[in-house]
Amino acid sequence: MKPILLQGHERSITQIKYNREGDLLFSVAKDTVANVWYSVNGERLGTYNGHTGAVWCVDCDWDTKSVLTGSADNSCRLWDCETGKQLALLNTNSAVRTCGFDFSGNIIMFSTDKQMGYQCYLNFFDLRDPQQIEDNQPYLSVPCSEQKITSAVWGPLGEFVIAGHENGEFNQFSAKSGEVLKKAKEHSRQINDIQTSVDLTMFISASKDNTAKLFDSTSLDHIKTFKTERPVNSAAISPIMDHVVMGGGQEAMEVTTTSTRIGKFEARFFHAAYEEEFGRVKGHFGPINCVAFHPDGKSYSSGGEDGYVRIHYFDPQYFDFELEA
C-alpha cells in the first residue's frame, strides 16, 4: 500500500504522536502550528493555533480529551482536543523542550531549556488543582543544573519521569519528591528521543552517537543496542512484534551537500532481540526527525526535516515493504 503523505506544515517536523486508540495522529513542527489528523486516511481534522514560536513537543492524554504542546515561545499550552480551544497557558522563562501527561491524565510534566541565563527545569503541574494553573506555580519544579534535558517520558504508574540529557545520561526523577531515583549513562552523546514500549516496561533511546538502545524502565538496565552509521533522531518500539524502527540522517546543516541516496534518509527496521537490521523504507527528502508506531502495530509514521509526515502501512507478519517512494 502506498504511504499516505500529510502536508500540513511549512517547516520541519519536530514530533508526532498517536493517541491511545490510534485513530488520531498529532504532529508539531517548527512553524508554530500543531495539527491533528485521522490516521486511517490522512485527512486533517484541525489545528491548534496560538503558539508564536517553533513547537517542540506534543502529547495527548489517555482518553484523548486534552492535548499538551510545548514551544520555543516560552510556553506550554493545554488544548481541548475536540474543539481546539486553549484551556491553559503556562508561561516559562525559556523554551519548552519536552512535555507529557502521566497515565491518569491528571498530572503533566514539561522541561524547559537552559538558555538566556535561565537553567533547565523539570516542572510538574496537577491539572485537578486550577490554582496551580492560575498562579503558574508547579507543585514541583526540579532544577537540572549540570546538563539540560533533551527528551523525557513518564515511567510506569506515573511514579517517575525518565529524562535523557545532553551528555547522554539518563535520570529518573520522582514525580512526588523530585529526587533522582536512578542514574545511567550508556550513550556517549546527546539523547535525541526517548519512547516507551506499549506497557511502559521498557524504553528505547535514540542518540547522536549513532546508536539506539533499549532499557528497562524501572531499573535503567541496558538491554540491547542497535548500531547505525548516522546519528539517530528517533526510535520506536513495535507494540506487537519484537521490532524497532529508527529514523535519522546527518545533521541538518550538512543535508544540502548530499543526495538523498548518500544521506540515508530511510526508516530502518531492527529486530529487537537479535539487534539485526532487516528492512529499510525510503521516503523523506531529508533526515527523519521522529517516528511512531500505530498502537495496533500495523502501520508507522515518520516526520522529516522536509516538513512532511508519512504514514506507512505494512503487514507486520511478512514485512512486504513497498520500497518505492
Side-chain angles (χ1 to χ4, degrees):
M1 185 170 158
K2 270 232 180 315
I4 303 173
L5 198 60
L6 312 183
Q7 299 169 289
H9 292 285
E10 292 168 9
R11 293 191 58 201
S12 53
I13 310 294
T14 49
Q15 199 180 16
I16 52 178
K17 245 321 158 36
Y18 282 98
N19 65 345
R20 189 176 55 97
E21 292 85 5
D23 59 330
L24 299 181
L25 176 64
F26 298 89
S27 66
V28 291
K30 292 182 182 172
D31 61 2
T32 77
V33 179
N35 283 325
V36 57
W37 314 80
Y38 286 118
S39 65
V40 66
N41 59 1
E43 184 187 337
R44 182 156 71 169
L45 182 60
T47 59
Y48 302 97
N49 298 325
H51 280 296
T52 55
V55 189
W56 288 118
C57 54
V58 63
D59 195 25
C60 169
D61 66 355
W62 194 78
D63 51 6
T64 322
K65 286 219 167 38
S66 320
V67 179
L68 191 65
T69 54
S71 164
D73 64 6
N74 299 1
S75 76
C76 188
R77 295 173 198 240
L78 187 68
W79 312 84
D80 183 312
C81 180
E82 200 178 345
T83 61
K85 192 168 143 262
Q86 185 176 305
L87 301 176
L89 165 63
L90 303 165
N91 284 308
T92 57
N93 291 324
S94 54
V96 177
R97 180 66 53 179
T98 65
C99 63
F101 286 96
D102 80 331
F103 194 69
S104 67
N106 292 326
I107 294 175
I108 59 168
M109 66 88 186
F110 61 87
S111 73
T112 58
D113 273 356
K114 183 176 177 178
Q115 62 187 158
M116 302 185 296
Y118 293 103
Q119 62 168 357
C120 164
Y121 281 97
L122 182 62
N123 294 318
F124 293 87
F125 281 85
D126 192 329
L127 299 177
R128 291 165 296 191
D129 179 7
Q131 205 56 49
Q132 285 181 25
I133 309 289
E134 244 170 80
D135 303 344
N136 205 1
Q137 236 9 71
Y139 77 82
L140 182 61
S141 190
V142 187
C144 310
S145 46
E146 293 94 45
Q147 293 288 337
K148 82 162 190 187
I149 294 174
T150 49
S151 184
V153 290
W154 279 94
L157 304 173
E159 287 171 0
F160 54 81
V161 164
I162 301 161
H165 298 260
E166 230 172 2
N167 60 347
E169 193 173 74
F170 293 107
N171 283 320
Q172 272 183 4
F173 292 100
S174 163
K176 305 220 167 21
S177 63
E179 63 185 318
V180 177
L181 304 173
K182 283 203 172 64
K183 277 189 174 185
K185 189 170 189 310
E186 293 287 343
H187 285 292
S188 55
R189 296 188 63 195
Q190 175 180 314
I191 290 159
N192 290 328
D193 185 31
I194 299 176
Q195 292 194 34
T196 50
S197 60
V198 69
D199 58 1
L200 302 182
T201 55
M202 298 186 296
F203 68 90
I204 192 165
S205 59
S207 168
K208 258 190 183 168
D209 66 6
N210 301 5
T211 64
K213 298 193 178 192
L214 201 60
F215 293 86
D216 182 278
S217 298
T218 316
S219 64
L220 291 191
D221 287 341
H222 173 221
I223 308 168
K224 298 284 178 190
T225 300
F226 310 98
K227 292 190 179 74
T228 68
E229 56 297 330
R230 304 275 154 164
V232 187
N233 293 338
S234 184
I237 305 169
S238 166
I240 55 168
M241 307 285 282
D242 293 330
H243 297 156
V244 299
V245 63
M246 290 154 52
Q250 76 273 66
E251 297 287 321
M253 306 180 284
E254 300 158 16
V255 169
T256 48
T257 58
T258 52
S259 77
T260 52
R261 180 65 230 144
I262 307 166
K264 296 254 187 344
F265 304 132
E266 300 117 332
R268 308 171 65 152
F269 283 80
F270 282 75
H271 194 284
Y274 303 123
E275 305 182 346
E276 286 173 358
E277 186 179 359
F278 62 83
R280 292 189 183 187
V281 182
K282 289 208 248 328
H284 286 280
F285 296 102
I288 294 174
N289 289 343
C290 44
V291 289
F293 266 107
H294 189 288
D296 72 4
K298 296 201 168 96
S299 65
Y300 81 96
S301 300
S302 55
E305 193 70 30
D306 54 8
Y308 295 127
V309 178
R310 301 172 72 97
I311 304 177
H312 294 260
Y313 282 87
F314 52 80
D315 186 335
Q317 236 56 53
Y318 303 107
F319 278 87
D320 185 14
F321 284 123
E322 303 243 350
L323 283 169
E324 72 270 7

